[in-house]
Amino acid sequence: MTTIKMRLVTALGGLLLAGGAQAASEKLYLFNWTQYMDPAIIQAFEDKYDVEVVQNYFNSLPEMFAKLKAGGVSQYDIIVPSNYYVPRLIQTGMVQKLDKSKLPNFDNIMDKFRDTSYDPGSDYTAAYQYGVTGIVYNAETFPDAPKSWSLLFDPEVNSNYPFGMMGDGQVSMGAACAYLGHGYDCTGLDAWKESAKLLLKTKQRSNFSGFVDGTPALQQLARGVTHVSLSYNGDYLFYKEENPDTFKNIKFMIPDEGTELWVDSMMIPAKAPHPDLAHKFINFILDPEIGAQLSNYNYYSSPNAAATPYLDKVLTQPPVTPADSDIDKLHFTPSLEGDKLQTFNQLWTEVQSR
């Protein structure tokens, strides 16, 4: 998931395609979400190992997957996918197992991120950052807003004010599933069909403004274009800290029916040109102080337990660190494959096209 600090994004696709033996011994190729890495961390790694880090960027998981299939599996040393794409990468043979003997800092990762449903035993993944997808809304418009997805899906709760939904199909479908009582992480066909019908009905309301991702959703709220939408807790906090007057009435909510807990992890492509250097980079990020520096920079939660003493105080409390009362409401977005993935894509395409 991305954050919203503005930095220079350099296009280096041509270099990646043309990278030969001369560059191979000196460069690490990092394929990451846009605006998701502290340049000072990159500089520190380069200085320590006397290498150059070449960064290339993606804005969505389908874009990342497509680039890997088109040859990126042999061009990049590190990729940073979200949890529900991890099984797909493993099953298609696009990634290699980690050599834990080269990762002495691996034990710094919190237990809950070392044995997950999407990568049992963390054979392939090292957690990078994690966060929550929730409802963002104008508290002046909705002073008594229910802590519920009804703020989006019930026209009696919001009959007039413009609202948006997230363009990520699994997140929007999960929200509808949760609201209907099937659980955010539902995968049953009947639940999906009912949720797709709800999304279509919601989309056809006169005050639906469209599908929009996390950062633009916050910008629309600030301008009054919408009054309710979905976004990420890290993006929300960054805007709130940087523009307190503009965002004084914007609130972040974890619905009681449940929502998404996402994890972005570092992985090594199956044909990475520099796997040893990739392990050094992963281990570097898992250093306690570096891990805290990363979170302090992008306002997301660190999965690095040893980093906690170095985190800015604002990152140790809601909304970045969820309240104890909200922990049980957070769920991983399910990983889909085969017929289930095909069925889901058909339903989501129908929602978008009608």
Side-chain angles (χ1 to χ4, degrees):
M1 308 297 172
T2 62
T3 59
I4 40 62
K5 295 182 178 179
M6 299 304 297
R7 305 144 199 145
L8 177 65
V9 177
T10 306
L12 291 160
L15 286 177
L16 293 176
L17 291 172
Q22 184 175 1
S25 62
E26 304 175 331
K27 295 182 180 179
L28 175 88
Y29 294 99
L30 172 63
F31 194 30
N32 200 356
W33 295 90
T34 56
Q35 306 164 353
Y36 206 24
M37 171 59 74
D38 184 351
I41 292 177
I42 295 297
Q43 185 64 57
F45 181 79
E46 291 176 331
D47 292 344
K48 181 173 182 177
Y49 291 102
D50 192 25
V51 297
E52 178 185 349
V53 177
V54 179
Q55 298 188 75
N56 213 8
Y57 306 92
F58 57 88
N59 291 298
S60 71
L61 293 167
E63 178 189 349
M64 176 211 68
F65 194 79
K67 286 188 176 181
L68 291 176
K69 286 185 68 176
V73 72
S74 61
Q75 295 172 349
Y76 306 118
D77 295 304
I78 298 284
I79 58 174
V80 190
S82 299
N83 49 281
Y84 64 97
Y85 259 67
V86 167
R88 202 174 308 180
L89 292 165
I90 295 172
Q91 291 155 12
T92 53
M94 289 188 179
V95 290
Q96 61 181 271
K97 286 188 176 182
L98 301 176
D99 183 346
K100 301 290 180 58
S101 69
K102 298 178 180 179
L103 301 173
N105 287 329
F106 188 85
D107 288 344
N108 290 336
I109 298 175
M110 296 175 182
D111 289 344
K112 62 183 176 182
F113 298 122
R114 281 197 279 163
D115 189 20
T116 61
S117 59
Y118 56 85
D119 182 21
S122 290
D123 289 335
Y124 295 86
T125 59
Y128 178 81
Q129 295 277 265
Y130 75 95
V132 174
T133 303
I135 295 175
V136 283
Y137 66 99
N138 188 318
E140 192 172 38
T141 305
F142 301 102
D144 300 313
K147 200 168 181 286
S148 167
W149 287 113
S150 63
L151 200 56
L152 284 170
F153 295 123
D154 188 343
E156 292 187 5
V157 175
N158 176 23
S159 60
N160 298 313
Y161 294 100
F163 69 96
M165 290 191 292
M166 191 163 277
D168 186 316
Q170 283 196 251
V171 173
S172 287
M173 186 76 85
C177 277
Y179 175 69
L180 292 169
H182 303 304
Y184 174 83
D185 52 353
C186 74
T187 57
L189 181 58
D190 290 341
W192 275 356
K193 286 182 177 179
E194 186 181 358
S195 298
K197 290 178 181 177
L198 174 61
L199 289 171
L200 274 172
K201 187 177 179 180
T202 302
K203 178 186 172 184
Q204 292 163 0
R205 284 160 49 191
S206 60
N207 53 333
F208 173 64
S209 66
F211 294 103
V212 60
D213 291 324
T215 296
L218 286 163
Q219 295 167 338
Q220 289 184 358
L221 277 168
R223 298 196 305 267
V225 175
T226 58
H227 293 249
V228 188
S229 201
L230 281 77
S231 191
Y232 310 118
N233 55 345
D235 280 15
Y236 165 78
L237 179 63
F238 175 81
Y239 272 115
K240 191 83 170 175
E241 291 285 302
E242 292 295 308
N243 301 286
D245 291 337
T246 302
F247 285 85
K248 65 181 179 180
N249 293 318
I250 307 301
K251 304 293 183 183
F252 181 91
M253 173 212 303
I254 294 176
D256 284 340
E257 300 96 340
T259 189
E260 179 190 32
L261 170 69
W262 53 262
V263 186
D264 292 336
S265 295
M266 296 174 284
M267 303 183 78
I268 303 177
K271 298 180 180 180
H274 315 109
D276 287 339
L277 191 57
H279 279 86
K280 289 178 181 177
F281 182 82
I282 292 173
N283 195 61
F284 187 78
I285 296 298
L286 295 179
D287 174 87
E289 293 189 47
I290 296 297
Q293 182 179 343
L294 179 63
S295 286
N296 291 339
Y297 177 77
N298 64 33
Y299 283 75
Y300 280 110
S301 299
S302 176
N304 189 329
T308 302
Y310 306 102
L311 293 173
D312 292 344
K313 184 178 179 181
V314 71
L315 302 184
T316 65
Q317 54 198 23
V320 172
T321 298
D324 291 343
S325 59
D326 285 328
I327 293 295
D328 291 340
K329 302 166 187 172
L330 305 179
H331 309 277
F332 290 135
T333 294
S335 301
L336 305 177
E337 58 181 303
D339 291 342
K340 273 193 174 295
L341 178 60
Q342 184 177 357
T343 299
F344 178 85
N345 287 337
Q346 289 172 345
L347 286 169
W348 179 241
T349 298
E350 187 172 352
V351 168
Q352 289 182 303
S353 62
R354 287 177 58 181

